[in-house]
Amino acid sequence: MEQKVCKSFHLDLLKALLAFLEKATPDGADAPFNLTYLIDNPTLDSNNAGWSESPTWGSKCCEYYQTNFDFNQTIQMKFPAGTYEVRAQAFQRPGTLDDIYVDYVTNGKNNVNAVLYAKSKTQKIMNICEGATEKSLGTGSSKIDNLGYIPGSMSSAQAWFKKESYDNSVWVTTTAANTLKMGIKSTNNAGGGWWVIFDNFRLYYYGSMTQEDVTPLEEITLDNHAGQP
């Protein structure tokens, strides 16, 4: 009996939320409605539960090494038409350290193919070299001549994530109420040394504003329940 009451209460809350969102637009571009709490296990702190696949989990984040993948989840509620932003911390190392030195550092070539996506919209995630620092963070980092230090392990990647590095964003504007599928995927991550690691998914709603109206958020919020409308 108690379980049925809780489920009914949850459904009533979702109905109220949808009714609110259908008529609401944030006060400004810098104050979207934070819907991150609707994502199942967005911070990946304990495991990868709630998502479509089982990548390697550790240091409160997930990774794929030399493996093609499509890591996603669909939020099963009919979101109203409007503009949504999905964010996640993630990077790809497209090859070995020698590969990225030649490709990125020497030739200025970005071979990243992994994308963050929301429905049909995609955006390449950051190249590992884009987050290079002068000093090593955490344990297991790698040193690249003429570039600096980059993550080289899950624990070092988490150290970069804690510094709010490697933040990615993808936008989608919908014209009708529908569910929302989001995730990270790559069909060309199986090469030697290719590595993708990610953490901290977030979801924001901008109502009738378009992406062109909005300046992307600079601050990231890692709390599942921060900023509920």
Side-chain angles (χ1 to χ4, degrees), residues 10 27 57 85 106 123 155 185 200 203 229:
H10 180 67
D27 291 335
W57 180 90
E85 181 189 21
T106 303
Q123 179 63 50
S155 60
K185 62 183 178 180
N200 298 317
L203 174 62

Side-chain angles (χ1 to χ4, degrees), residues 43-48 55-63 153-159 161 195 197-199:
T43 62
L44 304 170
D45 281 349
S46 301
N47 51 46
N48 56 276
T56 300
W57 180 90
S59 299
K60 298 183 178 181
C61 52
C62 291
E63 71 173 7
S153 65
M154 296 190 82
S155 60
S156 61
Q158 186 56 231
F161 291 157
W195 179 40
I197 188 164
F198 48 87
D199 197 5

Side-chain angles (χ1 to χ4, degrees), residues 107-185:
N107 296 324
K109 186 177 181 180
N110 184 2
N111 288 329
V112 164
N113 54 54
V115 297
L116 175 68
Y117 69 94
K119 296 183 75 67
S120 62
K121 298 296 184 180
T122 64
Q123 179 63 50
K124 284 187 178 182
I125 64 173
M126 296 179 70
N127 189 302
I128 190 173
C129 296
E130 295 180 69
T133 57
E134 293 183 0
K135 296 181 179 180
S136 175
L137 300 178
T139 58
S141 60
S142 302
K143 177 70 163 57
I144 303 293
D145 291 341
N146 302 317
L147 181 67
Y149 289 92
I150 57 174
S153 65
M154 296 190 82
S155 60
S156 61
Q158 186 56 231
W160 260 264
F161 291 157
K162 286 181 178 179
K163 293 290 185 180
E164 302 186 355
S165 295
Y166 297 114
D167 205 25
N168 304 265
S169 174
V170 62
W171 296 74
V172 60
T173 297
T174 60
T175 58
N178 212 328
T179 57
L180 181 61
K181 181 179 180 180
M182 67 182 70
I184 294 177
K185 62 183 178 180

